[in-house]
Amino acid sequence: MVYCGKPSKGCSNCRERKIRCDQREPGCGQCEKRHQTCPGYRNLVDLMFRDESSHVIKKAKARARKKGNLIVEPSTPSGSEGRLSATPEPRGKPSIAIVVPSTPAPTSPADSEAWGFDDSLLMSPESGSWPITPPAMALYNIPPVCQEHGFAFFFSRFVTAHETACHQKFDFVREVWKPSRTKRERQVDSVLASLTAVGLMGMASLQRRSDLMDAARKSYGVALGLTKDALKDPTEAVKDSTMLSILILGVFEMMAESPARVRTVTAFQEHVNGAAALARIRGPAQFQTRAGRRMFSMLCQRVVISCAMKDMPMPQPLKELWHEMAKTLEPENPTRHLMPLVWQVLQLRHNIKNHILTDSEIIIEQLLSIECGLEKLANNMSPSWQYRQFKVTRHHDAVFEGYCHLYPSLHHANIWNCIRTTRILILETILSQISEDFSSFTPRLNSSRYIEEYNLARRKLKRLVYDICASVPQHLGLMDPVDGSIGSQDEDDASARITTVEVRETPSPPTSPSTRSCDSSSISPSEPRRHLTGLTILDVTKARDEEDEAERYMLLVSATSTVVWPLYLVGMSTACTEEMKHWAVGRLRMVTMETGIKQADALAGLVADEGVGAVDWIDPALEQQQAMGGDALLLSPDMIPHGHDAWGGGGGGGLYGLGLSPLQVPMEYMGDEFGVGGGDMIWV
């Protein structure tokens, strides 16, 4: 510690202007006169004694450079390469201070002290199968303690964390990389720099510290440079450690909080493209190790997200590699059949978005085909993948409508919810396509058949959202894996646990006033209800513009909890009731409180702002008759006359000519064929 003399007591504004500060509270008079916010006053005790350790180390290194005739080469980002960084440094300034030795690394303790090495530094992998560190990256200006904190944070959140906390799990990292304690290898490699960058980014985001954010960006820049150097070497490029570095850098791009989210999305996509290209180079040989298979699976998940962002189909080379890897999976693993169905969704989305497919009937038939495949996959799960159903004996806030599921593991629950969320997107698209066609001036669909498909899709959709809600307690870590009992927030209080009763048959979704159509009693014949759409394969975000779409994509991608996306999808679904939406918002905010995942809270706000879907559900005839005093009629397919003019098809003067949907049409437009008076409503 060094005594620095008596410091100035004034605020920083007055010190900068070199004027006298009256030191008033809460702000000085000089700042008040200039209509400025006074920054406050410094802690004088901290200023009188200052830690000069870093300054002494810097001087020691300067002497060592002078003595060893070292050359300093700052790294300046080029215009072509800097684009990959989510947070590039200003032009003209070196992004990272790197010390380049002209002589080999020290071999003795005396040499180590002369070079200024610190024993607390985390060391790079040992020689052999681990990545080779170029001498240009031997040192970089991140304090050792800061690097250790970033390293520890990454391991706590992405390696050793419980599976309820994170789906971007790198628990295989020890099979690919390990830090070395050999003094000769005290260098920073691409894996260490990348995981340190992600760890520091996470800490900076939680603690709102700009110094940690700067350190994270510097570590990211070092990792990026080292990874590029590795890719130039054919031997280093195909190593697992290089792929691991790229995947970890992708996590950094997911977490980067940039005002321009479109740029962040672009950086994320470029990392995914680079990893996909590397996977093609690595070929089937990468599947020989468990870590290689895990990394490829993680890559495929990101490629699916990237393809959805860009409206692109799954690349054919990755499909071929996936089929090679699928040979190593167990026969009963549903992922073998799930991924090809997801590729079909991406291909159909691409064809519709690019106007390759325009016929609504063909589009709906392809959607129905994919839905049939997904439903068959769910119905044919092997016994080892089945879940148990429980009913709680008393109320618990985390259990919706009293029912919950217990899966063999969180991995099983995630696969089940992946199937459900994909089906929800498909079913919402089917509802949207049928409704849009029926509401058009010249509908092309056969009413008899597609009214049945419409109602069937509504029933399936309601079942799926309830099943996702039933999976949430286990995702939140509240269920006992043995007896299915539900725990409270106080884990030490055993008496606070709620017992459950196993249910052998699948319970039907409860029918309550909230499950009926919203505000049905207030509907008048002159105001037919508008069909609100949920998230579909064509609109996964329901964003206002490109920037908002990028923001929502990155919120969903960067949320590390496995339950965030299913809850968000449920809350945005047309099957979501007011109570279900309120419950989903509460669970998302609980995720934020329990894990610190801010994305969950932001998504909860989006769900809370979304309206509840105005869609009639199972047995709409009875519900509407009760709600409207018995003056409603269920229109079933066998009631539709088969004549050409039944729906007003002659000359454009009937229902479609008026622009009204045959699903919701005032009776006065239906004619005498139905035997009902004008002013009543028909509900399908």
Side-chain angles (χ1 to χ4, degrees):
M1 293 293 184
V2 178
Y3 178 68
C4 301
K6 186 177 180 180
S8 171
K9 299 179 180 179
C11 70
S12 60
N13 288 345
C14 293
R15 294 199 312 273
E16 185 177 2
R17 296 175 59 206
K18 297 183 179 179
I19 59 176
R20 191 177 190 85
C21 181
D22 58 15
Q23 303 171 29
R24 290 193 313 185
E25 294 291 349
C28 73
Q30 299 288 358
C31 291
E32 184 179 350
K33 290 178 183 178
R34 294 175 60 87
H35 303 289
Q36 292 180 337
T37 302
C38 183
Y41 313 107
R42 302 180 293 178
N43 187 327
L44 300 183
V45 176
D46 292 342
L47 294 173
M48 292 173 67
F49 294 92
R50 192 174 303 160
D51 188 354
E52 294 289 325
S53 301
S54 59
H55 181 61
V56 173
I57 293 173
K58 184 177 180 181
K59 289 196 296 184
K61 290 180 179 179
R63 289 195 299 269
R65 284 197 297 269
K66 186 175 180 180
K67 182 178 179 181
N69 195 21
L70 304 178
I71 302 173
V72 178
E73 295 182 358
S75 171
T76 304
S78 63
S80 61
E81 296 178 347
R83 189 179 174 206
L84 289 179
S85 176
T87 52
E89 298 285 342
R91 289 183 180 273
K93 295 183 180 180
S95 60
I96 302 154
I98 300 174
V99 180
V100 185
S102 59
T103 57
T107 57
S108 65
D111 291 335
S112 296
E113 294 175 2
W115 277 66
F117 281 111
D118 188 345
D119 284 340
S120 65
L121 275 170
L122 290 169
M123 290 156 281
S124 65
E126 297 171 352
S127 58
S129 60
W130 311 115
I132 299 173
T133 303
M137 298 297 178
L139 296 170
Y140 66 114
N141 61 344
I142 294 181
V145 174
C146 184
Q147 181 174 312
E148 288 181 357
H149 287 170
F151 182 90
F153 187 90
F154 179 88
F155 263 74
S156 66
R157 285 301 179 95
F158 296 96
V159 179
T160 61
H162 191 268
E163 56 184 345
T164 59
C166 180
H167 66 88
Q168 295 286 344
K169 286 207 59 146
F170 290 86
D171 52 352
F172 55 85
V173 67
R174 297 181 184 89
E175 303 172 28
V176 179
W177 176 90
K178 60 181 178 180
S180 169
R181 304 302 296 181
T182 307
K183 290 189 176 184
R184 186 178 181 82
E185 297 293 334
R186 294 180 176 220
Q187 296 176 333
V188 178
D189 65 276
S190 60
V191 177
L192 177 59
S194 58
L195 61 85
T196 301
V198 172
L200 291 175
M201 171 70 79
M203 291 179 63
S205 179
L206 287 176
Q207 302 176 18
R208 297 294 181 185
R209 288 179 54 183
S210 58
D211 58 328
L212 291 179
M213 188 66 72
D214 290 340
R217 292 168 180 167
K218 291 174 181 178
S219 187
Y220 171 83
V222 170
L224 199 62
L226 288 165
T227 303
K228 290 178 180 177
D229 289 338
L231 292 173
K232 294 175 184 177
D233 185 338
T235 304
E236 289 290 313
V238 296
K239 285 185 177 181
D240 285 349
S241 56
T242 304
M243 175 62 81
L244 178 60
S245 300
I246 294 175
L247 292 175
I248 296 175
L249 290 174
V251 176
F252 184 94
E253 295 296 351
M254 295 180 193
M255 299 170 61
E257 297 181 359
S258 171
R261 276 296 195 179
V262 175
R263 185 180 65 183
T264 304
V265 169
T266 301
F268 167 72
Q269 290 173 342
E270 287 178 347
H271 273 296
V272 172
N273 293 341
L278 180 59
R280 291 196 293 269
I281 296 173
R282 284 158 57 87
Q286 63 189 303
F287 307 136
Q288 295 176 0
T289 63
R290 171 182 171 271
R293 295 190 293 271
R294 288 284 304 278
M295 288 190 290
F296 183 76
S297 297
M298 185 179 291
L299 169 63
C300 286
Q301 294 174 10
R302 297 186 189 179
V303 172
V304 167
I305 296 171
S306 180
C307 289
M309 291 177 176
K310 297 186 295 184
D311 301 329
M312 295 293 293
M314 190 73 172
Q316 185 61 33
L318 288 185
K319 289 184 183 180
E320 296 172 358
L321 283 173
W322 171 268
H323 288 303
E324 287 293 324
M325 192 199 71
K327 297 176 182 178
T328 66
L329 300 177
E330 298 177 356
E332 64 271 14
N333 192 328
T335 312
R336 295 165 58 99
H337 309 287
L338 176 60
M339 282 302 294
L341 290 169
V342 173
W343 301 338
Q344 291 182 38
V345 175
L346 291 175
Q347 184 67 56
L348 179 58
R349 171 190 168 94
H350 169 73
N351 293 343
I352 298 173
K353 289 273 192 176
N354 290 274
H355 306 291
I356 299 173
L357 271 181
T358 57
D359 186 277
S360 56
E361 186 169 6
I362 297 177
I363 292 173
I364 294 174
E365 287 302 321
Q366 292 196 18
L367 288 168
L368 291 172
S369 175
I370 299 173
E371 158 60 15
C372 180
L374 290 167
E375 185 176 29
K376 182 179 178 181
L377 176 62
N379 292 337
N380 295 332
M381 286 281 200
S382 66
S384 62
W385 280 80
Q386 297 296 330
Y387 56 87
R388 299 160 64 193
Q389 303 174 85
F390 292 87
K391 180 176 176 60
V392 294
T393 55
R394 67 177 188 269
H395 174 76
H396 191 287
D397 289 340
V399 182
F400 184 71
E401 299 286 358
Y403 288 94
C404 51
H405 292 169
L406 180 61
Y407 298 82
S409 72
L410 252 293
H411 173 67
H412 293 75
N414 291 334
I415 297 298
W416 271 100
N417 277 349
C418 184
I419 296 173
R420 290 170 183 143
T421 53
T422 307
R423 292 184 66 192
I424 288 175
L425 292 175
I426 292 291
L427 292 170
E428 292 281 14
T429 311
I430 292 172
L431 293 177
S432 176
Q433 290 287 321
I434 294 177
S435 178
E436 182 180 348
D437 182 86
F438 280 1
S439 302
S440 66
F441 188 79
T442 55
R444 306 184 62 179
L445 298 178
N446 178 278
S447 300
S448 300
R449 181 194 171 189
Y450 288 102
I451 285 176
E452 290 181 352
E453 295 292 353
Y454 186 91
N455 287 326
L456 179 60
R458 293 190 307 188
R459 289 192 292 271
K460 290 180 179 178
L461 193 58
K462 187 173 184 181
R463 175 75 269 167
L464 290 171
V465 296
Y466 271 90
D467 284 343
I468 287 179
C469 292
S471 72
V472 170
Q474 185 173 1
H475 275 285
L476 298 179
L478 299 175
M479 291 195 72
D480 188 294
V482 178
D483 59 11
S485 60
I486 304 293
S488 66
Q489 302 298 327
D490 186 4
E491 297 181 358
D492 296 331
D493 186 4
S495 63
R497 299 195 67 84
I498 299 176
T499 59
T500 57
V501 178
E502 186 167 0
V503 180
R504 296 298 179 183
E505 296 182 0
T506 302
S508 299
T511 301
S512 63
S514 63
T515 63
R516 300 173 185 169
S517 301
C518 300
D519 300 323
S520 57
S521 59
S522 64
I523 297 171
S524 65
S526 60
E527 297 178 353
R529 289 184 300 168
R530 178 172 59 90
H531 177 84
L532 299 179
T533 60
L535 302 181
T536 67
I537 66 168
L538 302 178
D539 188 3
V540 185
T541 60
K542 297 186 73 174
R544 299 182 301 273
D545 49 41
E546 184 182 9
E547 186 67 30
D548 187 41
E549 182 180 40
E551 175 72 21
R552 295 192 182 200
Y553 263 123
M554 295 314 296
L555 282 174
L556 292 168
V557 170
S558 58
T560 55
S561 174
T562 55
V563 78
V564 170
W565 162 242
L567 278 174
Y568 176 72
L569 187 60
V570 165
M572 302 291 279
S573 170
T574 56
C576 183
T577 63
E578 190 65 44
E579 284 79 1
M580 186 182 291
K581 184 182 79 168
H582 180 75
W583 179 85
V585 170
R587 296 318 100 207
L588 285 170
R589 287 181 173 151
M590 175 183 283
V591 170
T592 302
M593 290 187 292
E594 294 291 329
T595 65
I597 300 174
K598 296 180 297 182
Q599 295 89 337
D601 187 61
L603 292 169
L606 295 177
V607 172
D609 294 339
E610 183 71 12
V612 179
V615 178
D616 284 320
W617 289 105
I618 304 171
D619 197 13
L622 176 60
E623 296 182 4
Q624 290 302 324
Q625 286 175 357
Q626 293 173 347
M628 302 182 65
D631 290 330
L633 172 68
L634 171 66
L635 180 62
S636 60
D638 57 349
M639 296 172 62
I640 301 174
H642 298 288
H644 180 69
D645 296 330
W647 288 109
L655 299 175
Y656 298 126
L658 292 170
L660 297 174
S661 167
L663 298 177
Q664 300 166 350
V665 184
M667 286 289 198
E668 57 189 310
Y669 298 119
M670 297 305 297
D672 297 330
E673 301 161 77
F674 292 91
V676 291
D680 292 331
M681 291 290 289
I682 288 181
W683 302 95
V684 179

